């Protein structure tokens, strides 16, 4: 299945000065487009750490989405780090440079022009809700950290993604996880193509465990669900979804 990773960048996230809102939205969009989000890493404003994480994620996953570190200040290192991850130089993009000059006019500064410094070979993607276009290098989508801008750009850029819809079923149980663990192990062993998860519920009066079965093949999900229901004592099953 097509997979993705998120790299959330910024000391402000790790220190608690700013609450990360972008991961939950990334999860939502990846689910909608049928791309499995396999990894999310939060990295501080350290060049080597960002380079290492971006390179690792790019090698392991089809798509990588970075969040943060694309502004004009000293701690905005993402563009340089993505370039370094592929041993590329930064180049001043004339399209963004013109946009910066138009926006700031005579008050433009060298710090503002830093917004136009992109990894060599990066491409621009027009997006809504922001002065500047989205930036993509290979399989890396470089996004701003401000949640409103992150959401707008991710929503537009997600149209480029090639995903596959998953089939999902679920069983609600009134049981302790430990009492059904051996049954789940049997189903997992018999259906390796189906991802099976067990999630306790502590505050729901209706049921205490929700078991999910997910795969690209709906028939595989159906077979796993049927086996699970055949093995579970009927008195434990509250319902299915």
């Amino acid at each position: 299945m097509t997979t993705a990773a998120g790299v959330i960048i910024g000391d402000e996230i790790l220190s608690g000065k700013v609450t990360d809102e972008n991961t939950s939205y990334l999860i939502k969009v990846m689910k909608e487009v049928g791309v499995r989000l396999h990894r999310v890493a939060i990295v501080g404003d350290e060049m080597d750490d960002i380079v290492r994480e971006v390179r690792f994620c790019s090698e392991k996953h089809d798509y990588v989405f970075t969040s943060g570190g694309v502004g004009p200040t000293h701690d905005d290192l993402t563009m340089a780090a993505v370039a370094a991850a592929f041993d590329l130089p930064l180049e001043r993009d004339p399209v963004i440079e013109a946009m910066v000059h138009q926006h700031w006019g005579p008050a433009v500064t060298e710090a503002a022009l830093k917004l136009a410094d992109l990894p060599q070979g990066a491409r621009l993607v027009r997006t809504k809700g922001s002065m500047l276009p989205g930036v993509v290098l290979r399989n890396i989508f470089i996004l701003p950290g401000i949640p409103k801008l992150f959401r707008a750009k991710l929503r537009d850029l997600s149209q480029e993604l090639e995903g596959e819809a998953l089939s999902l079923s679920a069983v609600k149980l009134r049981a302790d996880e430990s009492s059904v663990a051996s049954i789940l192990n049997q189903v997992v062993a018999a259906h390796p193509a189906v991802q099976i998860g067990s999630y306790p519920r502590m505050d729901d009066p209706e049921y205490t465990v929700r078991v999910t079965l997910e795969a690209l093949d709906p028939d595989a999900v159906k077979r796993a669900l049927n086996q699970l229901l055949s093995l579970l004592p009927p008195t434990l099953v509250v319902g299915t979804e």
Side-chain angles (χ1 to χ4, degrees):
M1 184 176 182
T2 305
T3 66
V7 183
I8 312 301
I9 298 164
D11 287 343
E12 68 276 13
I13 302 295
L14 292 171
S15 66
K17 295 174 186 174
V18 175
T19 299
D20 171 35
E21 300 178 23
N22 294 338
T23 296
S24 60
Y25 195 74
L26 179 61
I27 293 170
K28 170 183 169 62
V29 173
M30 293 302 101
K31 187 75 172 179
E32 289 175 358
V33 299
V35 173
R36 184 175 293 280
L37 187 63
H38 266 196
R39 179 182 179 88
V40 174
I42 302 177
V43 183
D45 297 317
E46 296 290 339
M47 176 68 78
D48 291 345
D49 292 342
I50 302 170
V51 170
R52 188 181 306 111
E53 189 63 36
V54 166
R55 184 183 292 133
F56 174 83
C57 289
S58 178
E59 292 173 353
K60 295 290 185 179
H61 303 288
D62 298 291
Y63 304 115
V64 180
F65 301 88
T66 71
S67 165
V70 295
T73 59
H74 67 284
D75 56 351
D76 290 315
L77 305 173
T78 301
M79 290 297 181
V82 171
F86 300 103
D87 297 319
L88 298 170
L90 286 175
E91 293 182 342
R92 184 148 294 181
D93 182 83
V95 173
I96 296 185
E97 183 179 23
M99 291 179 174
V100 170
H101 276 289
Q102 183 178 12
H103 181 77
W104 271 275
V108 69
T109 63
E110 186 58 32
L113 288 170
K114 179 185 174 184
L115 297 170
D117 292 340
L118 309 182
Q120 184 183 66
R123 61 185 176 90
L124 305 181
V125 180
R126 294 289 181 181
T127 56
K128 302 173 185 176
S130 175
M131 177 188 78
L132 300 178
V135 177
V136 182
L137 179 71
R138 301 186 185 185
N139 63 340
I140 312 291
F141 294 76
I142 306 171
L143 304 175
I146 299 171
K148 180 179 179 180
L149 298 180
F150 179 90
R151 293 178 182 185
K153 287 184 177 293
L154 179 60
R155 181 60 65 184
D156 286 345
L157 291 170
S158 68
Q159 298 176 19
E160 295 194 2
L161 308 182
E162 296 181 3
E164 303 158 286
L166 285 170
S167 178
L168 173 68
S169 291
V171 181
K172 296 178 180 178
L173 304 175
R174 179 160 290 283
D176 184 270
E177 268 194 311
S178 61
S179 67
V180 297
S182 61
I183 293 175
L184 294 179
N185 289 341
Q186 291 182 59
V187 180
V188 168
H191 304 274
V194 180
Q195 184 177 20
I196 299 174
S198 175
Y199 308 101
R201 297 292 295 261
M202 305 298 292
D203 55 357
D204 196 304
E206 182 187 3
Y207 63 98
T208 55
V209 176
R210 183 171 184 262
V211 177
T212 61
L213 305 93
E214 196 171 26
L216 290 172
D217 181 1
D219 290 333
V221 173
K222 185 176 181 179
R223 289 192 295 270
L225 175 63
N226 288 339
Q227 182 185 19
L228 176 61
L229 292 174
S230 71
L231 295 173
L232 286 167
T235 54
L236 300 183
V237 179
V238 175
T240 61
E241 298 174 352

